[in-house]
Amino acid sequence: MRHTRLAAPAACVCATALALALSGCSVTEKLTTGLKVKHAFEKLGEQPTASVLVTVDGDRADSAAFLRAAGAPGGPGTRRAADLLSRGELAFAVGSDREETPLRDLNRSERLRFATAVNFGGKDVLAAKSVEEKLYVRVDLRSLAAQTNGSAKDRRRAKKIVALADDLPLTLRSAKDALKGKWVEVDPESFDDFARAAQEITRGEKKSIRGNRQASAALRGDERTSEQVGRATGAGRALNGESEREFLDGLEKTLGRHAEFRKAGERGGAEHVTVTVPAREAAPDLSRALAALGAHIDPDQVPEKQLRADLQIRRGQLTGLTVDLGQFVPEDGGKRVHLPLRMVFGGGDAVTVEAPDGARELQPQDLLAAVMYGALGTRGL
């Protein structure tokens, strides 16, 4: 399995600082602001861990307006998505595998620890860590159903699945831990193998059951399941760090070629710097960078406008970034949409990059066996 290599934020900012000398306000101000931003990024690297907390600064109505402007249909589905967007909180962190070694002292061949977690106003419902060649995951099914406003049926099912863990045999201890929301160790490559095997099985069955309407319906369900497993394992592959490195390298090129920085005064005890990027011009480079994370934007659909973001610097360190997502969508019913996305940077306090104690290794076959145990037993899963 490949591992995270340290991207070079300092190099990114250096390239951007050089670009500042070509446009905008006075050369002196551009160089001063560029150096300040450069040092703000470098200060993050003086610590052995760095984290970012991502939220939107808006209520359900603001989120719903943004989703409608982005093309989502009206109705309960969009309202529910807007509620989750307004309450969602994503945290992730990187850290050195060498204890107490500052991030800036690592070379590109050394891996980083990586951790991420998400919640919707309560305790974390999903979490993952990549630490010293091992990948750990945790899912709290009952909290997930509750925080995502699941139906009564969804909540009952989550409760039954968690209760099932108490009845599982000792041979399925790792599955028991997973169902109870404990940390388990997983091998993304084995999950990939399982997804490919499931797809091969369904493809083979497809030839033998053509014409059987009931079996074909079941097959389509199996195919959807295997596709979902494939997408999930794609997220697991992202934790090996290579895709993050490719994204950061691409972002470095995008900022170096297109971004401009300008002082924006002091507010709330922080120095503010405005970052401006020409959307249409930067879209091809940004699209290539996002492709490493599995995201996609069509450069031809990006409007010809200037996109702006606000950087916050405290005591010489980058502490925040805010970008209005409304810049990326048309007006909603003639009204301009505003939905600020906030990123708060820190020293790794949002989530820890330490390996969880006592995590058992989970095989995909064990999880399937647990589900089958419940389906064939008396709990009616």
Side-chain angles (χ1 to χ4, degrees), residues 128-257:
K129 295 185 179 188
S130 178
V131 183
E132 295 180 347
E133 305 184 20
K134 295 181 179 180
L135 176 63
Y136 305 91
V137 297
R138 183 178 66 186
V139 181
D140 189 328
L141 293 175
R142 295 185 67 176
S143 290
L144 181 61
Q147 291 186 40
T148 57
N149 296 328
S151 65
K153 182 179 179 180
D154 292 336
R155 297 188 188 206
R156 285 194 301 270
R157 181 175 174 81
K159 184 177 180 180
K160 284 184 177 182
I161 291 175
V162 174
L164 165 68
D166 292 329
D167 297 335
L168 293 178
L170 290 178
T171 54
L172 296 177
R173 282 181 300 180
S174 62
K176 177 183 294 204
D177 288 348
L179 294 179
K180 285 198 162 190
K182 296 181 179 180
W183 284 104
V184 292
E185 180 188 340
V186 299
D187 181 358
E189 292 182 2
S190 70
F191 274 81
D192 290 345
D193 292 340
F194 174 77
R196 284 193 293 269
Q199 290 166 348
E200 288 296 326
I201 291 171
T202 55
R203 275 195 289 266
E205 289 177 349
K206 191 172 185 179
K207 296 177 182 178
S208 63
I209 63 175
R210 269 181 198 168
N212 184 324
R213 196 173 289 178
Q214 182 177 2
S216 295
L219 173 61
R220 286 193 295 273
D222 288 343
E223 287 178 327
R224 285 193 295 271
T225 299
S226 65
E227 289 171 0
Q228 290 168 353
V229 172
R231 287 195 294 269
T233 55
R237 283 194 299 272
L239 289 175
N240 66 24
E242 191 64 25
S243 56
E244 285 85 357
R245 178 174 179 266
E246 292 174 6
F247 166 70
L248 290 173
D249 286 346
L251 186 60
E252 173 186 339
K253 294 176 182 177
T254 301
L255 292 177
R257 292 170 181 168

Side-chain angles (χ1 to χ4, degrees), residues 74-363:
T78 297
R79 288 195 295 271
R80 184 183 181 195
D83 180 58
L84 294 178
L85 180 59
S86 65
R87 293 189 288 111
E89 181 179 271
L90 171 67
F92 58 90
V94 293
S96 168
D97 253 355
R98 287 192 282 149
E99 189 174 357
E100 301 304 321
T101 301
L103 293 172
R104 68 179 183 183
D105 291 345
L106 301 179
N107 59 52
R108 293 177 65 88
S109 66
E110 293 186 82
R111 61 177 178 261
L112 288 176
R113 298 181 177 191
F114 179 84
T116 184
V118 63
N119 70 72
F120 299 95
K123 64 181 181 180
D124 293 336
V125 296
L126 302 169
K129 295 185 179 188
S130 178
V131 183
E132 295 180 347
E133 305 184 20
K134 295 181 179 180
L135 176 63
Y136 305 91
V137 297
R138 183 178 66 186
V139 181
D140 189 328
L141 293 175
R142 295 185 67 176
S143 290
L144 181 61
Q147 291 186 40
T148 57
N149 296 328
S151 65
K153 182 179 179 180
D154 292 336
R155 297 188 188 206
R156 285 194 301 270
R157 181 175 174 81
K159 184 177 180 180
K160 284 184 177 182
I161 291 175
V162 174
L164 165 68
D166 292 329
D167 297 335
L168 293 178
L170 290 178
T171 54
L172 296 177
R173 282 181 300 180
S174 62
K176 177 183 294 204
D177 288 348
L179 294 179
K180 285 198 162 190
K182 296 181 179 180
W183 284 104
V184 292
E185 180 188 340
V186 299
D187 181 358
E189 292 182 2
S190 70
F191 274 81
D192 290 345
D193 292 340
F194 174 77
R196 284 193 293 269
Q199 290 166 348
E200 288 296 326
I201 291 171
T202 55
R203 275 195 289 266
E205 289 177 349
K206 191 172 185 179
K207 296 177 182 178
S208 63
I209 63 175
R210 269 181 198 168
N212 184 324
R213 196 173 289 178
Q214 182 177 2
S216 295
L219 173 61
R220 286 193 295 273
D222 288 343
E223 287 178 327
R224 285 193 295 271
T225 299
S226 65
E227 289 171 0
Q228 290 168 353
V229 172
R231 287 195 294 269
T233 55
R237 283 194 299 272
L239 289 175
N240 66 24
E242 191 64 25
S243 56
E244 285 85 357
R245 178 174 179 266
E246 292 174 6
F247 166 70
L248 290 173
D249 286 346
L251 186 60
E252 173 186 339
K253 294 176 182 177
T254 301
L255 292 177
R257 292 170 181 168
H258 308 288
E260 298 178 10
F261 294 148
R262 188 187 318 158
K263 291 180 180 178
E266 296 186 12
R267 299 187 301 278
E271 297 180 73
H272 289 252
V273 175
T274 299
V275 183
T276 305
V277 178
R280 177 64 65 85
E281 181 182 326
D285 288 333
L286 183 59
S287 177
R288 284 188 287 271
L290 289 171
L293 300 180
H296 172 74
I297 60 171
D298 184 354
D300 295 331
Q301 300 299 315
V302 175
E304 291 190 16
K305 62 190 295 187
Q306 297 289 318
L307 298 178
R308 290 178 174 81
D310 178 70
L311 295 178
Q312 297 102 53
I313 300 173
R314 295 175 186 269
R315 297 183 180 87
Q317 178 177 304
L318 178 69
T319 57
L321 183 152
T322 303
V323 57
D324 188 352
L325 297 178
Q327 299 176 98
F328 299 90
V329 297
E331 295 181 346
D332 178 37
K335 295 182 179 180
R336 187 175 176 185
V337 174
H338 293 283
L339 187 64
L341 177 73
R342 297 194 186 280
M343 299 183 185
V344 178
F345 298 91
D349 297 330
V351 285
T352 72
V353 292
E354 300 299 320
D357 294 330
R360 295 186 175 92
E361 184 175 0
L362 174 67
Q363 297 294 333

Side-chain angles (χ1 to χ4, degrees), residues 39-100:
H39 293 318
F41 273 92
E42 287 179 338
K43 191 132 183 153
L44 280 176
E46 293 178 359
Q47 305 167 87
T49 59
S51 64
V52 59
L53 189 65
V54 185
T55 59
V56 296
D57 185 12
D59 58 21
R60 183 167 55 184
D62 298 325
S63 299
F66 167 76
L67 293 174
R68 287 195 302 268
T78 297
R79 288 195 295 271
R80 184 183 181 195
D83 180 58
L84 294 178
L85 180 59
S86 65
R87 293 189 288 111
E89 181 179 271
L90 171 67
F92 58 90
V94 293
S96 168
D97 253 355
R98 287 192 282 149
E99 189 174 357
E100 301 304 321

